[in-house]
Amino acid sequence: MLSTLSKEKRSFNVEEIRKDFPILEQQVNGYPLVYLDNAATTQKPNAVIDAISRYYRTINANVHRGAHSLSDAATQEFEAARSTLANFVNSPAPEQIIWTRGTTEAINLIAHCWGRANLAKGDRILVSELEHHSNIVPWQLVCEEKGARVEPVRVNQNGEIDLEDFHRLLDERVRLVSINHVSNVLGSVNPVKTIIDSAHSVGALCVIDGAQAVSHFPVDVQVLNCDFYCFSAHKLFGPTGIGVLWGRKQLLESMPPYQGGGEMIEQVSFSGTTFNGLPYKFEAGTPDIAGAIGFKAAVDYLSVFDRAELEAHEYSLLQYCIELGRAFESIKRIGTSDTQVGVYSFLLDGCHPADVGTLLDQQGIAVRTGHHCAQPLMKVFSIPGTVRASFSIYNTHAEIDRLFAGLEKARKFLQ
Ligand code: PMP
């Protein structure tokens, strides 16, 4: 009986879901908030807010110190969070989940630890032109130090990675390929499985930046067969300041530590220090305990839904937005790949994206404008930036109507 109950999923009802997110009840600039900036960060359900508050109210203590009951309770919840995240991406073991501050720090950790130990003069790293700066700059920093090169794989005018160009660039001097699973600017879902398999065929490692993927569809690191997978809690209904680096065990074990300090050591002496095992070798200092507990609450929250229903809802929002966009005079959609999730990027003829964003904000509609930390991609399209509406499970079709009504006003004002 119990196991049947625990497998039961909460049926999808967007109005019920909205009640779980207290921030959505707000008025902004005199209008009910329409939050369409989910690719920047998602809102947090009560379950997450309450879990963090409960931690501080009832079990706040440092972890892995074991000296008293609160510390035991905090440690248990902190490690339970790691196990939940391991299940979430189907990691073979919890110790392959390394807590970081987010995707940015996860990628920097790989560049710093793996890159410095393994790259040599003449080596190459491939990224695509549609990467977030956090999947470009860490590689540039380490390559500069080691005499290696970062090379971009071209992106076509639909916003898709040009696989021919990728195969042309791929040879045995390529030591690592780092690609995002979903573009934060366009929402295009990249063919990461093909990229991972091809990278492996020349002996290169493959890093997947999953920051924009995990909130939209299930991810299985074993099916993908990637070497590293990175993501942030805050884009997945969890708190800011915490994320995950998932890595292949052998690779993580072979890498030197990231930062030195407490927790990451086994023995410290002036004649030589030895390091802790996984995952602690990479987790120097007091971790974000409340963040990990909040992250677990976010994943638990998501797990009560049938993900296919959530995906279908988001798909229908995007299709509706594309349909209204087609009928709207003077919109140019940027990124027209057939495989997109959660993002509608566009320009209004003759209007600067920042002005469009400001006029929408005055009507209570939150979107993001600018280059979205992807300047090389802006260059591909020869544009300074876009207006980006990005969707989540709590958005409604009525909110997309509000977006287009807002755009109509903005157009009249600006054109
Ligand atoms: N990669 C992608 C694709 C992103 O969208 C983001 C966040 N916008 C990042 C990396 C960086 O994530 P964070 O700021 O959480 O470290």
Side-chain angles (χ1 to χ4, degrees):
M1 184 63 187
L2 243 182
S3 70
T4 328
L5 270 182
S6 66
K7 277 187 190 141
E8 256 175 33
K9 297 285 180 188
R10 176 173 157 186
S11 65
F12 179 79
N13 176 327
V14 72
E15 290 309 327
E16 288 301 313
I17 285 179
R18 289 180 70 80
K19 291 183 194 155
D20 298 334
F21 292 81
I23 207 170
L24 298 178
E25 291 162 16
Q26 271 186 86
Q27 303 258 322
V28 169
N29 295 326
Y31 293 87
L33 168 66
V34 172
Y35 186 78
L36 297 176
D37 194 18
N38 295 287
T41 198
T42 55
Q43 297 303 344
K44 319 305 171 201
N46 282 318
V48 168
I49 300 165
D50 294 348
I52 294 169
S53 165
R54 185 188 51 81
Y55 163 73
Y56 282 121
R57 284 172 187 281
T58 62
I59 58 162
N60 175 51
N62 214 326
V63 289
H64 305 134
R65 305 291 192 268
H68 55 81
S69 304
L70 287 188
S71 176
D72 277 346
T75 304
Q76 272 182 30
E77 292 211 14
F78 179 70
E79 291 304 332
R82 197 187 305 274
S83 299
T84 297
L85 267 295
N87 286 336
F88 182 65
V89 292
N90 196 26
S91 171
E95 64 265 27
Q96 288 167 265
I97 298 287
I98 313 293
W99 300 121
T100 63
R101 284 191 295 120
T103 307
T104 304
E105 191 179 48
I107 297 172
N108 275 278
L109 191 160
I110 307 165
H112 187 90
C113 300
W114 178 87
R116 283 168 122 193
N118 291 283
L119 289 173
K121 195 166 186 321
D123 285 345
R124 295 157 65 220
I125 286 182
L126 300 186
V127 300
S128 82
E129 287 177 323
L130 53 64
E131 300 310 315
H132 190 279
H133 295 161
S134 62
N135 196 21
I136 299 175
V137 185
W139 306 120
Q140 287 176 328
L141 291 173
V142 69
C143 281
E144 193 171 337
E145 193 181 315
K146 306 300 290 186
R149 266 201 336 262
V150 181
E151 289 182 21
V153 179
R154 274 206 300 260
V155 167
N156 67 25
Q157 288 297 307
N158 290 331
E160 295 157 336
I161 291 174
D162 179 342
L163 286 177
E164 258 179 47
D165 193 49
F166 170 63
H167 286 116
R168 188 181 61 75
L169 289 169
L170 192 65
D171 63 23
E172 54 296 330
R173 286 319 301 264
V174 174
R175 301 292 315 281
L176 182 137
V177 178
S178 193
I179 298 286
N180 66 40
H181 204 161
V182 172
S183 157
N184 63 308
V185 184
L186 311 174
S188 18
V189 183
N190 296 313
V192 289
K193 183 69 185 140
T194 306
I195 289 170
I196 293 162
D197 292 346
S198 305
H200 288 166
S201 73
V202 297
L205 298 181
C206 200
V207 177
I208 303 298
D209 165 357
Q212 295 292 340
V214 284
S215 68
H216 295 298
F217 49 78
V219 166
D220 184 325
V221 290
Q222 296 190 58
V223 170
L224 287 176
N225 198 26
C226 52
D227 299 291
F228 297 101
Y229 198 96
C230 314
F231 56 107
S232 307
H234 72 96
K235 295 186 196 284
L236 185 67
F237 315 114
T240 52
I242 188 157
V244 160
L245 165 64
W246 176 87
R248 213 181 270 290
K249 194 167 179 191
Q250 239 179 329
L251 274 169
L252 292 173
E253 278 171 346
S254 72
M255 281 156 49
Y258 180 41
Q259 297 176 326
E263 202 62 40
M264 51 75 73
I265 54 88
E266 187 185 55
Q267 287 286 330
V268 177
S269 81
F270 287 108
S271 56
T273 289
T274 53
F275 304 122
N276 209 337
L278 292 181
Y280 309 113
K281 181 172 81 172
F282 295 108
E283 296 180 356
T286 299
D288 183 358
I289 306 163
I293 289 168
F295 201 174
K296 176 184 191 302
V299 168
D300 287 344
Y301 173 79
L302 198 59
S303 73
V304 304
F305 296 101
D306 176 346
R307 299 260 344 233
E309 281 193 347
L310 301 181
E311 280 178 61
H313 175 67
E314 286 188 3
Y315 180 79
S316 115
L317 291 172
L318 181 61
Q319 294 312 308
Y320 185 55
C321 190
I322 291 171
E323 197 183 304
L324 294 193
R326 273 202 203 103
F328 193 91
E329 204 188 310
S330 73
I331 269 197
K332 181 169 193 273
R333 185 174 157 222
I334 309 292
T336 44
S337 155
D338 286 338
T339 55
Q340 275 188 336
V341 286
V343 170
Y344 183 79
S345 243
F346 64 96
L347 288 168
L348 269 192
D349 259 359
C351 308
H352 194 281
D355 294 337
V356 177
T358 304
L359 287 168
L360 289 175
D361 180 51
Q362 286 173 4
Q363 302 170 71
I365 302 162
V367 294
R368 171 104 181 247
T369 62
H371 55 63
H372 314 293
C373 301
Q375 287 177 352
L377 186 63
M378 298 300 110
K379 202 162 168 221
V380 170
F381 289 104
S382 307
I383 53 176
T386 75
V387 183
R388 181 187 71 185
S390 52
F391 311 112
S392 189
I393 56 174
Y394 40 67
N395 288 122
T396 65
H397 292 73
E399 288 183 312
I400 295 175
D401 290 334
R402 284 265 316 273
L403 169 67
F404 280 90
L407 285 174
E408 187 61 52
K409 278 196 191 167
R411 184 174 61 175
K412 283 194 179 128
F413 189 81
L414 292 170
Q415 283 182 339

